[in-house]
Amino acid sequence: MRKLASIQRIWKIEPIEGADRIELANVLGWQCVVNKGQFQPMDLAVYFEIDSFLLIRSEFEFMRASSYRKTDIMGEGFRLKTMRFRGQISQGLLLPISQFSELSADAELGTDVTEILGVRKWEIEEKVTTGGTIIGTLPIDVPHTDETRVQTEPDLIGDFASLEYYITTKLDGSSHSVSLDEEGFHVAGHNYEYKDDGKSAFYELVKREDIESKVRKYYEEKGLRLLTIQGELCAPGIQQNRLKLNRPEWYVFTIRLDGKRVGLKKMQEICEALKLQMVPVEEVGMDLPSKYPTVEALLARADGEYSKGGKKEGIVIRTTEPVFNERISAALSMKVVNNKYLLKNEDK
């Protein structure tokens, strides 16, 4: 579960040129604009990540003009996104621990307070063209696709030392998966499994590309118990169609065989065999921290545009063969979201 709100240490305070009332506080790999004098270096504070959706309560009312949202899915609250103040990017919210009566004054560094403070992840409302009729939660072998941001865990960079890595383009669409198990063929979005009732753009693509029969053939030939393929559905009507596509397209980024994620080479082989598109591979190399030693270096690497124009959402970095990482309790990977993209797009 992602720590949307946690106790973190402010390791540096920096002035903002020409600003009398605000300054920059650095926490983890993020920077936040705070009131001048509110914090000192090495203070502990409550850090709320971007993409957090905060409850209506007095502590957050100062954000009403900029951050208040009300939707059918999320209800009322305050949505945190990347913002700019006096030319400086602010990514998240820092508040003193003392402002929250439910938190202990001696709370330990790293404590997850997401549930205690009722913080939820901001979810974009899926259009009818991208979803369909929900028939259940995600199938057993379909994990949530939510890569860790490097700013949240900067030490992940060092964990790539001496390992072969690959970088893919983070495409701007909607996560959709197919899986096959003993119970049958499943089609899922980011959070739910969907019914084939003519209301899903992804089901249309699955039929157009004959994906179910291809998956079933591979499944039977290899004698598998579980086969899951996850990818990004990009199409007109999804995320403003920043790839400028004329029809729905699906780009694979993860394949799992019998519950285990395969490496890059195997994924490429399977995609070629099933005639599926993969997310673009931008780079393959060794020892990531020797080339991109800092968060800032990776943010510069993530900048760019899609082939038909429009700011690229960013990049995803993984090892070419899955390597378990204790820091995130999962296979080593991380995403680097382009700050210029975040500033231009409210719904991410």
Side-chain angles (χ1 to χ4, degrees):
M1 182 70 70
R2 178 176 169 185
K3 289 184 181 181
L4 294 170
S6 59
I7 307 301
Q8 298 296 342
R9 191 176 302 283
I10 298 168
W11 57 273
K12 185 169 64 172
I13 300 288
E14 298 178 284
I16 297 175
E17 186 176 354
D20 297 326
R21 298 181 180 179
I22 56 176
E23 55 192 357
L24 279 179
N26 292 267
V27 55
L28 298 172
W30 305 98
Q31 63 178 33
C32 298
V33 172
V34 297
N35 292 329
K36 184 168 285 190
Q38 186 176 25
F39 299 106
Q40 298 299 319
M42 305 311 290
D43 279 354
L44 292 180
V46 184
Y47 173 61
F48 300 88
E49 286 194 17
I50 55 174
D51 294 336
S52 294
F53 193 63
L54 312 180
L55 295 173
I56 298 291
R57 53 188 290 172
S58 60
E59 292 86 352
F60 306 133
E61 280 297 322
F62 70 95
M63 299 189 297
R64 182 167 288 272
S66 62
S67 304
Y68 174 78
R69 298 288 187 274
K70 181 178 180 180
T71 76
D72 291 338
I73 291 178
M74 301 301 297
E76 288 187 276
F78 302 100
R79 183 269 172 106
L80 294 182
K81 62 178 182 177
T82 299
M83 301 185 73
R84 190 187 293 275
F85 301 92
R86 291 294 186 94
Q88 293 291 336
I89 288 175
S90 183
Q91 294 179 296
L93 173 67
L94 277 169
L95 290 176
I97 298 172
S98 60
Q99 285 194 14
F100 302 94
S101 59
E102 54 266 75
L103 301 183
S104 170
D106 57 356
E108 295 184 359
L109 177 67
T111 300
D112 186 351
V113 296
T114 303
E115 290 190 14
I116 295 174
L117 298 181
V119 180
R120 293 178 290 154
K121 185 178 183 297
W122 172 261
E123 298 286 357
I124 304 167
E125 295 189 51
E126 290 186 347
K127 293 180 174 61
V128 67
T129 54
T130 67
T133 302
I134 294 170
I135 59 174
T137 56
L138 291 176
I140 188 170
D141 192 47
V142 180
H144 279 280
T145 55
D146 194 8
E147 223 92 17
T148 300
R149 294 193 190 209
V150 66
Q151 294 99 321
T152 301
E153 291 285 355
D155 290 340
L156 283 174
I157 298 173
D159 293 343
F160 279 85
S162 302
L163 296 173
E164 187 176 47
Y165 68 89
Y166 70 102
I167 297 176
T168 58
T169 306
K170 192 173 192 314
L171 299 179
D172 193 10
S174 179
S175 175
H176 278 65
S177 308
V178 299
S179 71
L180 185 60
D181 56 31
E182 293 177 351
E183 295 184 0
F185 184 74
H186 309 275
V187 167
H190 184 66
N191 293 306
Y192 304 105
E193 182 176 353
Y194 291 107
K195 181 180 181 180
D196 181 10
D197 61 358
K199 297 180 180 179
S200 169
F202 186 52
Y203 254 116
E204 292 176 10
L205 182 146
V206 167
K207 292 178 179 180
R208 185 189 85 202
E209 302 296 330
D210 199 22
I211 290 174
E212 181 176 354
S213 64
K214 294 175 183 177
V215 168
R216 285 187 179 277
K217 182 180 179 182
Y218 189 88
Y219 178 90
E220 292 167 1
E221 287 178 349
K222 303 299 180 181
L224 299 171
R225 294 179 296 102
L226 296 167
L227 171 57
T228 296
I229 304 176
Q230 298 183 281
E232 197 78 2
L233 175 64
C234 301
I238 301 178
Q239 309 290 58
Q240 302 177 35
N241 189 26
R242 295 186 179 93
L243 271 65
K244 299 182 180 179
L245 300 173
N246 296 319
R247 66 177 189 172
E249 299 289 352
W250 189 47
Y251 302 90
V252 174
F253 53 68
T254 295
I255 295 180
R256 295 166 58 86
L257 302 181
D258 286 341
K260 295 182 179 180
R261 200 184 86 193
V262 305
L264 173 61
K265 184 177 179 180
K266 185 67 173 179
M267 181 163 56
Q268 289 172 324
E269 290 175 356
I270 295 172
C271 283
E272 184 175 352
L274 301 186
K275 299 190 184 313
L276 299 175
Q277 298 183 85
M278 258 190 64
V279 292
V281 177
E282 297 185 8
E283 177 180 331
V284 178
M286 286 291 299
D287 197 15
L288 183 83
S290 66
K291 190 170 184 180
Y292 307 105
T294 64
V295 171
E296 290 74 20
L298 285 174
L299 286 170
R301 175 65 178 79
D303 193 12
E305 296 184 346
Y306 292 122
S307 59
K308 294 183 180 179
K311 284 296 175 188
K312 184 171 69 174
E313 186 177 355
I315 56 175
V316 174
I317 308 172
R318 292 177 169 181
T319 52
T320 54
E321 290 296 328
V323 175
F324 181 79
N325 182 265
E326 292 185 359
R327 199 182 307 279
I328 57 175
S329 298
L332 179 57
S333 67
M334 59 186 177
K335 65 182 176 183
V336 188
V337 181
N338 182 2
N339 277 338
K340 294 177 183 178
Y341 167 90
L342 287 172
L343 283 169
K344 291 187 68 175
N345 302 289
E346 282 196 4
D347 290 332
K348 291 302 289 179

